[in-house]
Amino acid sequence: MADNHERRAERAVVLGLETSCDETAAAVVVREPDGRGRILSNVVRTQWEQHRPYGGVVPEIAARAHVECLDILTAEAMQEAGVGFGDLDAVAATAGPGLIGGLIVGLITGKAIALAHRLPFIAVHHLEAHALTVGLTEGLCPPYLLLLVSGGHTQLIIVRGVGRYERLGTTIDDALGEAFDKTAKLLGLGFPGGPAVEQAARGGKAERFNLPRPMIGREEPHFSFAGLKTAVRRTAERIAPLSEEDVADIAAAFEEAVVASVTDRCARAMDIAVERLGQDAPRHLVVAGGVAANEHLRTALRELSGERGYAFHAPPLDLCTDNAAMIAWAGAERLALGLSDGLDAPVRPRWPLDANAPPAIGAGVKA
Ligand code: KG4
Ligand code: ZN
């Protein structure tokens, strides 16, 4: 829908706010008339310390923590960028999907700034922001195939343009980041689990345990990680108490199974993308979301891309995990198409990126 609009050839400076999960973030980004982007500031404060005692994100604690620091971070981002509110062309804030309390904090703050300074306001889809980040970092234009792997989402999407997404696959149970976090908890590793599992796996012998490689060979490029998680739990229980070596070996076997499953699913999605976009369309695989920080996964996907004639793109680590530069950038891209939202724009805790995607078969499907 959105990409049919004519692009505006104007420079735009946009303030972005992100509060959908456990990172509070504010950033200022500029979009040049030729479509290139530049980050003027990018301030992120993580709430990991507050959530660590509970081994996961507690929504009420998250919302309070956003309230306490969003105004301070916004002031920091503006100062670092060297701009005043009068220099802004728009304000963008995450409207969803995510935890409702945090979303309300960010959206209301963004609307208040827009209202006070008579600026256009853009209610941003968090996953669209992850999806468009390569436009900011590398100037890559759609179409491309996107693997989005975060704490809440695991999806394969054809990005056809701003606002035009075709979901090919999703998880039928846990998100990949969630599987990393739960595995870390089972193994007594820290929170957040992804980096802890990756660290532990470094010295481990993956071949010691034969864990399932979910969904490999299935026609549709969907994902499933619940069975793998159960297998990790059973393995850990069988050989308990766990030595440091045992933990490293299980972590390595888990990571290996994940990488095998995800690369197989991506290979299938590449075939479908060629069918849908045509043989002659450019071939780009983009990874985004927190789990895209995983080095083992990146290496495997880079290799797969090389074998299939795809160019591989992964944003720098600090732009893979949640940040506000991507929110500001998604706002700037929408603004360039003449799109903005009213101050009555609602928060949308559940908000599918591709509203036409059929549900995946299985229980507990995530949008
Ligand atoms: O995109 P993100 O910052 O937040 C959202 O969920 O939106 O992703 C966070 C997720 C967490 O589950 C975290 O454990 C995972 O990304 N993660 C990793 C790594 N770094 C972060 N998973 C595997 N390996 C990593 N190095
Ligand atoms: Zn995210």
Side-chain angles (χ1 to χ4, degrees), residues 10-330:
E10 281 166 25
R11 187 172 190 268
V13 180
V14 180
L15 168 68
L17 306 177
E18 159 59 35
T19 57
S20 67
C21 192
D22 57 350
E23 262 96 29
T24 317
V28 180
V29 158
V30 57
R31 186 183 183 282
E32 302 293 350
D34 63 4
R36 279 178 310 139
R38 198 154 41 89
I39 298 174
L40 301 185
S41 65
N42 187 21
V43 184
V44 183
R45 186 177 296 177
T46 178
Q47 306 172 355
W48 291 349
E49 288 308 326
Q50 281 114 302
H51 298 296
R52 187 162 284 144
Y54 307 93
V57 179
V58 183
E60 177 62 24
I61 293 177
R64 279 169 189 255
H66 290 305
V67 171
E68 278 163 18
C69 68
L70 184 58
D71 55 346
I72 300 165
L73 296 199
T74 303
E76 264 179 45
M78 296 291 290
Q79 197 184 3
E80 236 179 71
V83 298
F85 288 113
D87 301 313
L88 295 177
D89 296 291
V91 183
T94 308
L99 300 173
I100 190 164
L103 291 172
I104 290 173
V105 173
L107 207 71
I108 288 186
T109 306
K111 286 177 181 176
I113 296 170
L115 181 66
H117 301 281
R118 297 175 192 281
L119 294 167
F121 174 73
I122 299 124
V124 171
H125 193 301
H126 181 88
L127 303 187
E128 171 164 84
H130 275 302
L132 299 179
T133 300
V134 276
L136 170 64
T137 55
E138 300 183 31
L140 183 70
C141 294
Y144 48 83
L145 179 63
L146 172 76
L147 169 69
L148 181 65
V149 274
S150 71
H153 302 273
T154 307
Q155 302 191 5
L156 276 159
I157 296 164
I158 295 177
V159 177
R160 289 178 181 269
V162 175
R164 296 168 58 213
Y165 307 97
E166 188 182 341
R167 197 195 71 193
L168 303 181
T170 187
T171 178
I172 60 167
D173 41 55
D174 293 347
L176 184 52
E178 206 177 340
F180 267 96
D181 293 337
K182 286 179 181 170
T183 295
K185 210 170 175 180
L186 268 166
L187 298 179
L189 298 167
F191 172 83
V197 170
E198 179 165 29
Q199 177 74 23
R202 244 169 229 147
K205 295 184 291 297
E207 64 283 1
R208 184 174 152 202
F209 301 106
N210 193 13
L211 296 176
R213 283 148 165 66
M215 308 297 267
I216 283 190
R218 295 273 187 106
E219 185 70 9
E220 285 187 294
H222 293 314
F223 301 86
S224 165
F225 299 107
L228 177 59
K229 180 190 65 192
T230 307
V232 167
R233 183 168 50 74
R234 292 225 176 98
T235 305
E237 282 168 2
R238 185 162 50 80
I239 61 165
L242 301 181
S243 67
E244 210 171 297
E245 196 182 337
D246 294 333
V247 169
D249 293 348
I250 296 176
F254 166 79
E255 212 178 56
E256 183 109 332
V258 161
V259 168
S261 171
V262 173
T263 42
D264 175 79
R265 309 292 60 216
C266 281
R268 180 70 197 115
M270 283 171 168
D271 292 341
I272 300 173
V274 169
E275 276 167 31
R276 305 258 167 105
L277 295 173
Q279 288 288 340
D280 300 332
R283 299 182 185 189
H284 296 279
L285 174 67
V286 175
V287 290
V291 187
N294 188 281
E295 211 35 69
H296 191 168
L297 186 62
R298 279 183 183 233
T299 306
L301 293 173
R302 193 176 289 118
E303 275 174 25
L304 172 72
S305 300
E307 288 162 15
R308 298 293 191 105
Y310 269 71
F312 178 70
H313 307 264
L317 297 189
D318 59 333
L319 295 174
C320 271
T321 48
D322 286 350
N323 65 87
M326 69 177 190
I327 304 301
W329 177 249

